[in-house]
Amino acid sequence: MTAPKTSWVNSANDGQTHFPLQNLPYGIFSTTGGAARVGVAIGNQIVDLAALDDAGLMPTAAKGAFAASSLNRFIALGKPVWTDVRARLTALLSADDQRLSGNVALRDKALVPMSAATLHLPVDIPGYTDFYSSREHATNVGRMFRDPENALLPNWLEIPIGYNGRASSVVVSGTALHRPNGQIKLPNEARPIFSPCRKLDYELEMAFIVGKPSNLGEPVSTGDAPAHMFGLVILNDWSARDIQQWEYVPLGPFNSKSFGTSISPWVVTMDALEPFRRENPAQSPEPLPYLQQQGQNAYDIDLEVALQPAGATAASTVCRTNFKAMYWTMAQQLAHHTVSGCNVRIGDLMGSGTISGTTSDSCGSLLETTRNGAEPVTLADGAKRGFLEDGDTVTMTGWCQGEGYRVGFGEVTGKILPAR
Amino acid sequence: MTAPKTSWVNSANDGQTHFPLQNLPYGIFSTTGGAARVGVAIGNQIVDLAALDDAGLMPTAAKGAFAASSLNRFIALGKPVWTDVRARLTALLSADDQRLSGNVALRDKALVPMSAATLHLPVDIPGYTDFYSSREHATNVGRMFRDPENALLPNWLEIPIGYNGRASSVVVSGTALHRPNGQIKLPNEARPIFSPCRKLDYELEMAFIVGKPSNLGEPVSTGDAPAHMFGLVILNDWSARDIQQWEYVPLGPFNSKSFGTSISPWVVTMDALEPFRRENPAQSPEPLPYLQQQGQNAYDIDLEVALQPAGATAASTVCRTNFKAMYWTMAQQLAHHTVSGCNVRIGDLMGSGTISGTTSDSCGSLLETTRNGAEPVTLADGAKRGFLEDGDTVTMTGWCQGEGYRVGFGEVTGKILPAR
């Protein structure tokens, strides 16, 4: 095994950090009294790209793109600039480079400990689409919400099913959310009641962020799709199952999802994920031609969900799974999204759908893990959960395992506050 | 009958124009070589508000808000400023006022004939939601897509059903759209085919534009809802019925709608619509408390749809209906949208759902008018339409009938180009 390339930022080299020199994910951060700006995570530090730009250390083509409260301006510069900036940062942060490490004044200014920073939503999101691309998840949900005998609907193996989500309520990791109120239809009542949600759930997803727009009326092929992706985040698609079951026919989920969607703060670029591309999943029947794909469009990303009740001393892992198990790939999702002529924009967020494996401890939602609450999961301190209770904190994390290093996503976490 | 108040812009006084002194709708326009900016329609003219602002004729609080390519900056100033600007414009354009009419140089600069202007999308739309609030429409569609005996689903009389639409593909009136391609499931085939849509349709809707944001976790009551509305437009929710029928279970319409949604260019303000408020529709069962409402939340707006094939000498009116017939009001829609805690933002577009009456000539879609194509409508020149053909132009218009004047919306029009 070759030792991975190292950084002069020591915390980037321990083999466990999510943010080694091989990663360099982008985010938006601020420190006390300062404006929000673009940073890159390295070990337990954030590199302030606006400061590097002011010092003349960033590529000229990116001039002025980092003193911004979202990544959109930088992303809009296009892939050649992303590549240049990544190459420059890789050089500047390498163990043998002195330009930044040897300039104490600049280093003090441009390196911010993560513990001293506040992280913000990394992108302005003009549109949020959520897919439904795990066969196991679709089967599990179909079994509980519809017909156990025909759990997978006839269109599911033909279409990377997706729907439009609500972009306004996408929040960054760490944002607490109130349990939503809404209409619930109890089985023995003639009419619905208005009540705090009684079946509050999470959904473990990955999401890609669009980096290159498309024009109205011009589909993006599966082959071109990867060039339209800037990077990935982890997404928690919080879901109110009882509200969802009553409202979703015929136009899909609405209030059951729109009270909040959480994403991880660091956008891991497609460049950083390149070594972790894997073979496309087997698909039968063979998809229609516009959905057929070449190359490797699956990604090997280990994922975990942990749940920690209020007052508990530790979080309990309730799910371990991997992103590569998805039936439909992101390239297929984007090709399908645009095949009608629908355009995409920079910053669009495209959720994968809940990522579930075949066993209860690999399911990406409590609905599946606990079979709609019937088989509660037992946590480390003995507490049981069918669905989420007030005070619970859900934390999702994910990483790609390299040889001696990890390219990680950090985490997306959120606490449930009582209903208002 | 009292004669309505008149303007020194003569074309505003004929009783037929959609844009008399009583209306003053806002839009975004440009002229050859000029930047897009805010204008107000009066008769057959556009008043350039950026020019009036430069000349010191606009309220100080609105300074700089009109040299912008969307209304969002102006809207964000809030209701007191909207009221001030409307009052100022009403005064400046009144027959007895000399400040603008008597200043030839300024008048020449600030008054632009509509025929010389290009109209743009009036708002940046961070989110587009589409409701489904006509009982007649929901019943007609349920009868054709689902069970004729139980056409109205059990949740419909309890929930102002809505779903998230795709904001990226909302276009201004006049934008031609290509017939979408997509998956269609033919009745006798085992698998879907990929094909240009064969059942292309329009949907006649009104839509309100959010003028005041709400915070995540803070519902807007039906009583507060009107204060969150800036104005209304006509919306054509183009729909690919065959794609829709195959894709919409279980997460709702997606590609069947996302290839384009057209809106009229002039935003008619709630202030201009105030005289046309009508009693709330009767609702049975009585809605849950959070949906109950006081006052008058229905609006008396006459609506028409016309269809003109390529080469036809005239358009044929295929629908006449009225917005006041909707079952759920806009106040109820907004209260429901936010009751989960979902936030709304300035510029959010909220479609009413297709507006249909009880007769085939009052249906807001061809799906209903022609009973899914089975009973084609005959146009003026003898052509028949089950659904839209390439080259067809659909034009929707609407107005409130006052005493001797109309507060109108102009029109939203769009032509269907062949599939790519």
Side-chain angles (χ1 to χ4, degrees):
Chain A
M1 179 172 129
T2 325
K5 214 175 165 200
T6 58
S7 170
W8 52 263
V9 179
N10 285 329
S11 58
N13 304 326
D14 65 8
Q16 295 298 309
T17 178
H18 281 201
F19 310 121
L21 188 61
Q22 290 80 1
N23 192 348
L24 304 178
Y26 295 93
I28 298 293
F29 77 102
S30 62
T31 46
T32 312
R37 53 205 189 272
V38 176
V40 155
I42 180 84
N44 59 15
Q45 305 289 306
I46 299 171
V47 184
D48 181 338
L49 296 200
L52 293 192
D53 189 24
D54 287 345
L57 286 177
M58 286 286 96
T60 313
K63 190 77 196 163
F66 304 114
S69 62
S70 82
L71 296 176
N72 297 53
R73 197 190 301 173
F74 168 58
I75 296 174
L77 297 176
K79 193 151 191 153
V81 178
W82 313 341
T83 303
D84 283 355
V85 170
R86 179 173 171 82
R88 181 69 60 91
L89 285 168
T90 301
L92 287 171
L93 293 166
S94 290
D96 54 2
D97 198 283
Q98 297 292 317
R99 284 172 289 176
L100 181 54
S101 68
N103 182 335
V104 177
L106 179 60
R107 211 180 59 198
D108 283 354
K109 192 176 172 196
L111 235 64
V112 176
M114 281 190 186
S115 56
T118 301
L119 295 172
H120 304 274
L121 206 60
V123 279
D124 282 337
I125 302 168
Y128 162 41
T129 301
D130 199 19
F131 288 91
Y132 187 57
S133 290
S134 157
R135 181 171 187 160
E136 291 74 18
H137 172 69
T139 305
N140 292 338
V141 171
R143 194 172 283 142
M144 283 180 282
F145 271 29
R146 290 175 294 272
D147 179 0
E149 299 304 310
N150 296 287
L152 207 59
L153 289 163
N155 59 12
W156 198 91
L157 289 170
E158 301 285 359
I159 300 178
I161 293 282
Y163 70 103
N164 302 300
R166 177 76 187 170
S168 71
S169 50
V170 177
V171 296
V172 72
S173 175
T175 307
L177 292 168
H178 288 275
R179 176 181 300 270
N181 293 303
Q183 290 195 25
I184 300 172
K185 179 70 166 56
L186 301 174
N188 298 320
E189 302 281 343
R191 294 192 55 194
I193 58 168
F194 182 75
S195 162
C197 168
R198 298 169 184 191
K199 290 187 173 181
L200 188 57
D201 203 355
Y202 54 78
E203 287 192 343
L204 168 66
E205 304 193 14
M206 296 301 300
F208 70 89
I209 288 166
V210 170
K212 179 183 171 184
S214 71
N215 294 324
L216 190 65
E218 297 177 10
V220 175
S221 67
T222 55
D224 288 342
H228 287 264
M229 300 173 193
F230 176 72
L232 269 62
V233 294
I234 309 175
L235 182 148
N236 181 353
D237 179 26
W238 301 98
S239 297
R241 299 299 178 193
D242 39 9
I243 297 172
Q244 183 178 356
Q245 188 154 17
W246 171 236
E247 76 173 358
Y248 89 103
V249 177
L251 300 183
F254 188 59
N255 279 3
S256 56
K257 304 277 194 172
S258 62
F259 63 93
T261 305
S262 303
I263 64 172
S264 55
W266 295 107
V267 183
V268 178
T269 64
M270 303 317 290
D271 278 345
L273 295 169
E274 188 64 28
F276 307 100
R277 290 177 86 144
R278 297 291 180 267
E279 287 302 313
N280 296 323
Q283 295 181 321
S284 175
E286 184 177 57
L288 291 177
Y290 81 94
L291 290 171
Q292 291 174 17
Q293 58 190 339
Q294 306 297 319
Q296 298 185 309
N297 292 300
Y299 287 82
D300 185 358
I301 305 174
D302 284 313
L303 295 164
E304 289 185 0
V305 182
L307 208 168
Q308 182 164 7
T313 50
S316 303
T317 300
V318 289
C319 165
R320 285 191 178 84
T321 188
N322 192 294
F323 186 47
K324 73 182 172 197
M326 300 301 272
Y327 188 87
W328 296 106
T329 68
M330 297 185 288
Q332 291 176 314
Q333 290 168 345
L334 189 58
H336 180 70
H337 201 320
T338 59
V339 78
S340 68
C342 181
N343 54 328
V344 297
R345 298 190 281 193
I346 288 170
D348 277 349
L349 183 71
M350 306 278 180
S352 62
T354 307
I355 303 162
S356 288
T358 51
T359 56
S360 71
D361 60 356
S362 64
C363 285
S365 69
L366 283 176
L367 176 74
E368 297 164 85
T369 303
T370 71
R371 296 178 182 263
N372 199 11
E375 300 174 13
V377 65
T378 303
L379 307 180
D381 59 355
K384 289 180 185 299
R385 285 292 182 275
F387 288 98
L388 297 173
E389 297 190 5
D390 292 346
D392 284 356
T393 296
V394 177
T395 302
M396 298 171 173
T397 186
W399 65 91
C400 304
Q401 186 63 56
E403 293 201 354
Y405 70 96
R406 286 177 164 182
V407 168
F409 290 80
E411 61 180 33
V412 54
T413 187
K415 184 175 181 172
I416 298 303
L417 304 177
R420 291 199 188 220
Chain B
M1 178 172 127
T2 324
K5 213 174 167 200
T6 59
S7 171
W8 52 263
V9 180
N10 286 329
S11 58
N13 305 326
D14 66 8
Q16 296 298 310
T17 177
H18 281 200
F19 309 120
L21 190 60
Q22 290 79 1
N23 192 348
L24 305 180
Y26 295 94
I28 298 293
F29 78 102
S30 63
T31 47
T32 312
R37 52 206 190 273
V38 176
V40 155
I42 179 86
N44 59 14
Q45 304 289 307
I46 299 171
V47 184
D48 181 337
L49 297 201
L52 293 192
D53 189 23
D54 287 346
L57 287 177
M58 285 285 97
T60 313
K63 191 78 196 162
F66 304 114
S69 61
S70 82
L71 297 176
N72 297 51
R73 196 190 300 174
F74 168 57
I75 296 174
L77 298 175
K79 195 153 192 155
V81 178
W82 312 341
T83 303
D84 282 356
V85 170
R86 180 173 170 80
R88 181 70 60 92
L89 286 167
T90 301
L92 287 172
L93 293 166
S94 289
D96 54 2
D97 197 283
Q98 297 292 317
R99 282 172 291 176
L100 179 54
S101 68
N103 182 337
V104 177
L106 180 59
R107 212 180 58 199
D108 284 353
K109 192 176 170 196
L111 235 63
V112 177
M114 280 190 188
S115 56
T118 302
L119 296 172
H120 304 274
L121 204 61
V123 279
D124 283 336
I125 301 168
Y128 162 40
T129 301
D130 199 19
F131 288 91
Y132 188 56
S133 290
S134 158
R135 181 171 186 159
E136 291 74 18
H137 171 70
T139 304
N140 292 337
V141 172
R143 194 173 283 142
M144 284 178 284
F145 270 29
R146 288 176 294 272
D147 179 0
E149 299 303 310
N150 296 287
L152 207 59
L153 289 163
N155 59 13
W156 198 92
L157 290 170
E158 302 284 358
I159 300 178
I161 293 282
Y163 69 105
N164 302 301
R166 178 74 187 171
S168 72
S169 51
V170 177
V171 296
V172 73
S173 175
T175 308
L177 292 169
H178 288 276
R179 178 181 298 271
N181 293 304
Q183 289 196 25
I184 300 173
K185 179 69 167 54
L186 300 174
N188 299 320
E189 302 281 343
R191 293 193 56 193
I193 59 169
F194 183 74
S195 163
C197 169
R198 299 169 183 189
K199 291 188 172 180
L200 188 57
D201 203 355
Y202 54 78
E203 289 193 342
L204 169 66
E205 304 193 15
M206 298 299 301
F208 70 89
I209 288 166
V210 170
K212 179 183 171 185
S214 71
N215 294 323
L216 190 65
E218 297 178 8
V220 175
S221 68
T222 56
D224 288 342
H228 287 264
M229 300 173 192
F230 177 72
L232 267 62
V233 294
I234 309 176
L235 182 149
N236 182 352
D237 179 27
W238 302 97
S239 297
R241 300 298 179 193
D242 39 9
I243 296 172
Q244 183 178 356
Q245 189 155 17
W246 171 235
E247 76 174 359
Y248 89 102
V249 177
L251 299 184
F254 188 58
N255 280 3
S256 56
K257 305 276 193 171
S258 63
F259 61 94
T261 305
S262 302
I263 63 172
S264 55
W266 296 108
V267 183
V268 178
T269 64
M270 302 317 290
D271 279 345
L273 295 168
E274 189 64 28
F276 308 100
R277 290 177 84 146
R278 297 293 179 264
E279 287 301 313
N280 296 323
Q283 295 180 321
S284 175
E286 183 177 57
L288 291 177
Y290 81 95
L291 290 171
Q292 292 174 17
Q293 57 189 342
Q294 306 297 319
Q296 298 185 310
N297 292 299
Y299 286 82
D300 185 358
I301 304 174
D302 284 314
L303 295 164
E304 289 186 2
V305 182
L307 207 167
Q308 182 164 10
T313 51
S316 302
T317 299
V318 289
C319 165
R320 285 189 177 87
T321 189
N322 192 292
F323 186 47
K324 71 183 173 197
M326 300 299 273
Y327 188 86
W328 295 107
T329 68
M330 297 184 288
Q332 291 176 314
Q333 290 169 346
L334 189 57
H336 180 70
H337 201 320
T338 58
V339 78
S340 68
C342 181
N343 53 328
V344 296
R345 297 190 281 193
I346 288 171
D348 277 349
L349 183 71
M350 304 278 177
S352 62
T354 307
I355 303 163
S356 288
T358 52
T359 57
S360 71
D361 60 357
S362 63
C363 285
S365 70
L366 284 176
L367 176 74
E368 297 164 83
T369 303
T370 72
R371 293 176 184 264
N372 201 10
E375 301 173 14
V377 64
T378 303
L379 307 180
D381 59 355
K384 290 181 186 297
R385 287 291 182 276
F387 288 98
L388 297 173
E389 297 191 3
D390 292 347
D392 284 355
T393 296
V394 177
T395 302
M396 298 171 175
T397 185
W399 65 90
C400 305
Q401 186 63 57
E403 293 200 354
Y405 69 97
R406 287 177 163 184
V407 168
F409 290 81
E411 61 182 33
V412 55
T413 188
K415 184 174 181 173
I416 298 301
L417 304 176
R420 294 203 185 214

